Structure formats: structure tokens, C-alpha cells
Amino acid sequence: MSDPAKLPILYELMLRIRRVEERIADLYSEQEMRCPVHLCIGQEATAAGACAALERTDHVYSTHRSHGHYLGKGGSVRAMMAEIYGKATGCSKGNGGSMHLVDLSVGYMGSTPIVGSSIPIGVGDAFGAVLRGEKRVTMVFFGEGATEEGVFHESVNFAVLRKLPVVFLCENNLYSVYSPMSVRQPAGREVYSVAQGHGIECHQGAGNDVAAVYDLARKAVRKAREGGGPTFLELKTYRWREHCGPNFDNDLGYRTVEEYEEWRKLCPLEAFEKRYLASGAVAADELRRIAERIEREVADAVAFAKSSPFPQEAQGVYAP
Amino acid sequence: MTRELRFFQALREATEIAMSRDPSVYIMGLGVPDPKGIFGSTLGLREKFGEARVLDMPTSENGMTGVAIGSALAGMRPILTHQRIDFALLSIEQIVNQAAKWHTMFGGLMKVPLVIRMIVGRGWGQGPQHSQSLQAWFAHVPGLKVVMPATPHDAKGLLLASIEDDNPVIFIEHRWLYGMSGPVPEGHYTVPLGIARVAREGRDLTIVSTSYMTLEALRAAERLAEEGIAAEVVDLRTLSPLDEGTVLESVRKTGRLLVTDTGWKTFGIGAEIIARAAEGCLASLRAAPVRVCLPDLPTPTSAALAARFYPRAIHIWKEARNLMGLAGAEGRPFEPPGVPLDVPDPSFVGPF
């Protein structure tokens, strides 16, 4: 870990993501959150580690599975929860839902669920920053399925051509909904190696090791900020619950219980606690204080969302 | 001062004025800075504004549309060009799912000030994939504005208004209008989006037209006038938002409606305009409305086939007479004998 002072914040970001999503899963059966939710429980380290390497003024774009990225970038828990509940106080005033989160105050620019579709927009944001002489880095999150989309390649090509300040952050969780890698990409070919063909610097890392993620992201962000151009990071991780919804779905048979159990042992939070509590790098009571604060935040956000009014009118179609 | 300019010169002048007035405007597209300069409409811009604002791009229509959207979110005002609509189809995902929706789906926090210029080809063997006129697709999607100028004056004023608009605008140019001349004021002016133009006044029937078909409609109206029929020609100019008021006002006055569009007939602009008339002023209609549009067939390439495929003034004239309840007439051709029908005018010698 290159920056031990960051350890508490990495833990806080991961735990916030975990507890917000577990609360969503607990409450989902009440049927008051009337929109799809794509939970990233098990994948918290990629979001937390990568976002912790960014400044508040840097920009993030993401996908359908974006709660972690939104919270990692510092997005409002209240506004996200209210959005999922379809309330007027939600971050998109009820027009977006879980798949369309935004918080401009922290540079979280937006999530969209069409696979790969936010990648060129993030690249364009970086291009716009360069044209305007603004010094910021744009990080674009996507899954490994997006690397199968043409627009991914078009976007990486342009980012390399123009040496844009972009970090392409690929979370490889092995499945596109229920379709495994084996039916989508040739065996033995690493995802990052395809990006490499575009002449972009690529790294592959352990997505459940938050410190490793942070270190990789920090180098890529620093390089982008200094004018060194884009980087592609492939982080291997695993979603614990179903593709969409609050439940576990190992009964469906598209993946094995053994595989799930192997990844379950690699829980990013448990790994963090084992490693840094034992070494004394972080103090147990500090982590406990963080956990208590997050419990209050989550309870407050749910109460806020539930008590907020529904919107009366949809957002108008044109900007005035 | 107003002087005569050609359509492509009006487009170029509008772009130059917009870029001079606002440093956030930039133009990007395959061939924008090349020696042909998008049929002349971008010539000289690279020299004046430099490489940073006048860009060629990778052959990546979908990705580059996303890049344009992202740069618009970041505060730029991109103009993206396609030399044919048919190539822009590669970017439908970014246009429909993203550009059209970011403002609404994020609760009004975002805006996408983006102009996408697309050209409709016709004649000289453009064939099935260089001639589609898909304005109805775009006009179907809430969140997009769709503009189709018919005159050099409107090309300049509508392009300036589109660039200054805070929403994504699909700006559709007909290739056969590029060489047409008309009066164009100097300096900055805008033609507001969403307002149709009464191109010719008349009391007997209303011809609603789009883009190049406005020229054919005016030719037909000329001959109808010789026969004592006063046709009113309403050039829509903007399809979305649609100026329903001007259309209905005209139909209430004339009681007869003919729609002529550069696109296909089925589920097209004609269908929408006639539906609006049925909803808005059915009692005023004294005859069943008529559409003069493309037959529902991919465009044939051979000049012989294309000549029969495209409706022209004579088809509008015939349908207008039918609407008026006049006996069928073959009518003398509008074009003198021997004039080729696959070019906008005899000076056009290809290749595209």
C-alpha cells in the first residue's frame, strides 16, 4: 500500500457501499423501490479503490451497476436512496432510478445501462476538458462485457489518438447477466490484451484487494493528469448476488456454488480487516466508529427517502 | 445587406459566424477539413479557426457521437457532420439512448447542446444506402429537435439557431439544395426552431412540404395558379418541435391537405401531418388528405428506375387537381424534353 493514510477512507467507502446495498436488499421485498437494482455486493473494492484515487473535481461515468461508483465518488446517500424510491428528492428527481444516478457536486456525471454506452461520453467529457483547458481526469467504469462492444474500441482508439486524460476501469466479474466468459470471448485471451491492441497502457489487478486497486488507479490518474494519456485497468472481481435484484441466485445453475464460495472467501472487507487490523495499520476502534457512522447514515437515508414526496410532474423534454 | 448565396455557402457562413461568436463551438466529422469540405459547406474553416476546432475524426460514427455528447456535457457546443444520413445510422444508439435523454433522465441537471448535420442524397445513382431520408425516425424520439431547411436563408438562420440551442438538434440537409441560390442577409440572425414558413399563400388547398419537396411544391403551385387554383405551400422547416398551429390554420382556411415529404410514405411525416389535421380540424377537411412521398421501396440505383421512383412537381400537381375534384389530366411535363431527372440541375455532373 503506497499511501497508508488512505486506509481508513478506503474502508469507509467500501463499508458504505456494502451497507447501503445490503439495506436495499433487505427492504426490496417491501416493493416500495419500484425499479431494477443491480447490486455490486462483493465488488466494493474496485469502486472504492479507484474513486479514492480521484479528486473531487475529477469526473466519473458508469453503468447499470453503479451504486458503488456513485458512493465511491462521494455521491449523496440520501439522494441516491430517494431516487431508487422514485421520489422528488432523488438525485434525478425520480426520472432516472437506480440505473441513472448523478451527483454533479462530486463529479459523478451519470450512469447509463446500455452496455458500453457511457464509455465514449466519458471520453468526450475528457476531450471537452482538454478543449477548454480544464485540468481534470475522467474515469469510466464498465464491465468486461462492454469490451465486446464496438463502441469500446472506438472510444479507446480516440482516447489514445488524442492522448486524453481518461482511466478506463474494467470490472471483470466474469458474467454478462448469466452468460459466462466462455461463450463470449476466446479461452486463454485476457480482456486487457484486447485493449492493448489499441496501443494503450494496460494493467490487470486483483479487484478485491482495495489497496492494490488504489495503487493501480493512483498511477493511472497521475499519469492522465500529467498529460501522459489514458490507461486501461482490468480488475477481476465477482458479484455475489443475482444480476438484477436483491437475492442470491446460485440455484439457477449458471455458475457453480464452488466458484461462488471461492470468491466469497475473497470478500474485500474481510480481507481488509484481516490484513490491516492485524498489522496495526488501522485501529479497531477507528473502524468501529466508521461503521457506526455509516449505520446512522444509511438509516437516515432510508427514512429521508421514505418520507420524501413523490414528484408531481416528469421532467420536461427540452432544456430551456 | 442581403445578397444571393448558395445553400452550401449559407451553411458555411452560419458555421463561421457561430464559431466567431462562441469559442465553445467546434465542428467535427469525416472530411470536414478535407479539400472538398463537405460539399463546400466547411471550406476555409480550418484556416480560420485552426485544427483544435475544425476536426477530422476516426471512422467511428457511434463512438464519436458519444464523444461529441460528452464534450457537450463538458461545456462545448459540437457540430458533428455526416456526408449521408445512412452513415449516421451507426450512431443511432448514442443519438436515441443518450443525446435525446440526458436532460430528462437526470432530472434537468444535464444539457446536450449538439448539432448533428446529416445529408440526404438523391440521383446520380446514389442508390439504397446513400439516399435515405429518415427524418421521421428522429422526429419520433422525444428529446431531439429535427430541422430541415429548404432555402439558403433558412439554412443559415436555422443552423445558427440550432447551434445556439441547448438541445440535440438533427439538422437534415438535402443534397439537391446545396447548389440552389437565394437571398441571405449578412451577419448574425436566427430562424427560430419550431416555426413553419408559409412559402406561398393560397385559399384553395394546403400543400405541407419538407426540405427539397418545398421546391417541387412551389413549381406545382405555379402551374396550379395558371389554372386558377390557389395553393398555399407550408414549408415545415422544423419537424420537431412541430408547428402544428400554422398547419392547422392553413387547413382550416383551405379545407384540403396534401403533404409532400422527401421520405417514405408509410409511418412518415405525411402520416403525422394528416393525423394532426384529423385530430385538430377534421370538420374543416372537404376531401381526403393526400401524401406525395417516396414509394415504400429501397431507392433503385439506375437513373431510369430512379426517375420513376422520385415524386416531382407533376405528381404534386396531379394529386392537387384530384383533391380539387378536377377531371384527370396527363399534363405537360414540368421539365423540358431531354433534361435528365437524376440531377438537381443540368450543371450537376456527379459523382455525388
Side-chain angles (χ1 to χ4, degrees), chain B residues 2-51:
Chain B
T2 293
R3 72 285 189 236
E4 293 274 313
L5 283 187
R6 291 180 168 219
F7 192 89
F8 76 88
Q9 293 170 320
L11 292 172
R12 184 174 67 196
E13 191 166 277
T15 310
E16 188 175 336
I17 291 170
M19 293 184 74
S20 297
R21 285 165 62 96
D22 183 348
S24 64
V25 177
Y26 76 100
I27 182 164
M28 172 168 76
L30 280 164
V32 160
D34 79 12
K36 297 287 181 77
I38 315 293
F39 312 112
S41 65
T42 61
L43 285 177
L45 297 174
R46 167 65 74 88
E47 290 72 17
K48 179 155 185 181
F49 298 104
E51 288 181 36

Side-chain angles (χ1 to χ4, degrees), chain B:
Chain B
M1 268 284 286
T2 293
R3 72 285 189 236
E4 293 274 313
L5 283 187
R6 291 180 168 219
F7 192 89
F8 76 88
Q9 293 170 320
L11 292 172
R12 184 174 67 196
E13 191 166 277
T15 310
E16 188 175 336
I17 291 170
M19 293 184 74
S20 297
R21 285 165 62 96
D22 183 348
S24 64
V25 177
Y26 76 100
I27 182 164
M28 172 168 76
L30 280 164
V32 160
D34 79 12
K36 297 287 181 77
I38 315 293
F39 312 112
S41 65
T42 61
L43 285 177
L45 297 174
R46 167 65 74 88
E47 290 72 17
K48 179 155 185 181
F49 298 104
E51 288 181 36
R53 294 176 67 198
V54 183
L55 311 165
D56 218 315
M57 67 178 209
T59 317
S60 307
E61 287 83 356
N62 196 37
M64 294 313 295
T65 302
V67 166
I69 294 167
S71 73
L73 297 173
M76 299 300 289
R77 289 185 173 274
I79 306 167
L80 185 63
T81 66
H82 299 280
Q83 301 196 22
R84 289 289 181 269
I85 281 190
D86 316 65
F87 296 108
L89 297 190
L90 287 157
S91 60
I92 282 290
E93 193 283 312
Q94 286 292 319
I95 294 173
V96 174
N97 281 330
Q98 311 305 336
K101 298 197 174 37
W102 275 60
H103 176 70
T104 307
M105 78 186 179
F106 291 117
L109 290 177
M110 314 298 254
K111 59 180 187 182
V112 183
L114 163 66
V115 176
I116 308 182
R117 290 178 49 197
M118 303 178 187
I119 299 171
V120 179
R122 174 171 167 175
W124 205 275
Q126 296 294 295
Q129 296 181 353
H130 269 40
S131 68
Q132 294 174 89
S133 196
L134 297 169
Q135 56 273 19
W137 285 25
F138 297 108
H140 184 65
V141 177
L144 300 177
K145 294 189 176 182
V146 183
V147 175
M148 287 187 97
T151 67
H153 172 279
D154 288 351
K156 179 175 169 183
L158 286 168
L159 184 54
L160 274 161
S162 299
I163 295 167
E164 292 168 17
D165 199 280
D166 274 342
N167 297 281
V169 179
I170 307 299
F171 195 90
I172 301 177
E173 305 154 12
H174 199 285
R175 181 68 183 87
W176 277 22
L177 293 171
Y178 263 58
M180 303 295 171
S181 293
V184 177
E186 286 181 353
H188 177 270
Y189 68 94
T190 58
V191 172
L193 306 187
I195 298 183
R197 171 179 74 109
V198 178
R200 181 185 177 111
E201 289 192 23
R203 63 181 183 279
D204 295 329
L205 84 149
T206 299
I207 302 177
V208 173
S209 63
T210 61
S211 182
Y212 174 76
M213 291 312 286
T214 301
L215 274 58
E216 297 284 359
L218 288 169
R219 295 169 76 199
E222 196 72 33
R223 181 174 295 178
L224 290 165
E226 291 166 12
E227 298 166 353
I229 301 165
E232 179 148 296
V233 177
V234 177
D235 169 14
L236 286 176
R237 299 200 291 195
T238 302
L239 304 180
S240 182
L242 182 67
D243 183 0
E244 183 182 282
T246 298
V247 171
L248 296 190
E249 191 185 329
S250 180
V251 175
R252 284 194 189 101
K253 179 172 71 176
T254 66
R256 297 182 181 89
L257 174 61
L258 183 155
V259 188
T260 184
D261 177 41
T262 56
W264 286 302
K265 185 172 182 176
T266 300
F267 294 99
I269 301 304
E272 180 62 30
I273 297 299
I274 291 170
R276 298 286 182 120
E279 288 168 345
C281 61
L282 183 62
S284 305
L285 288 170
R286 289 151 50 175
V290 176
R291 287 175 281 176
V292 179
C293 307
L294 296 188
D296 295 324
L297 181 75
T299 311
T301 298
S302 159
L305 297 172
R308 288 201 289 275
F309 176 77
Y310 281 104
R312 297 188 309 281
I314 192 156
H315 306 95
I316 298 170
W317 174 77
K318 278 184 191 171
E319 292 295 346
R321 284 178 56 90
N322 285 341
L323 255 183
M324 297 304 299
L326 297 174
E330 272 311 301
R332 63 185 192 284
F334 278 66
E335 299 80 10
V339 167
L341 297 177
D342 66 339
V343 290
D345 62 76
S347 72
F348 189 99
V349 292
F352 52 82

Side-chain angles (χ1 to χ4, degrees), chain A residues 206-221:
Chain A
N208 284 14
D209 178 345
V210 72
V213 172
Y214 173 77
D215 284 345
L216 278 173
R218 193 162 86 139
K219 276 186 203 141
V221 168

Side-chain angles (χ1 to χ4, degrees), chain A residues 93 117 132 154 315 317-319, chain B residues 63 75 93-94 98 107 144 167:
Chain A
K93 299 179 194 153
S117 196
R132 294 170 66 83
E154 298 181 6
Q315 179 65 38
V317 70
Y318 293 128
Chain B
E93 193 283 312
Q94 286 292 319
Q98 311 305 336
L144 300 177
N167 297 281

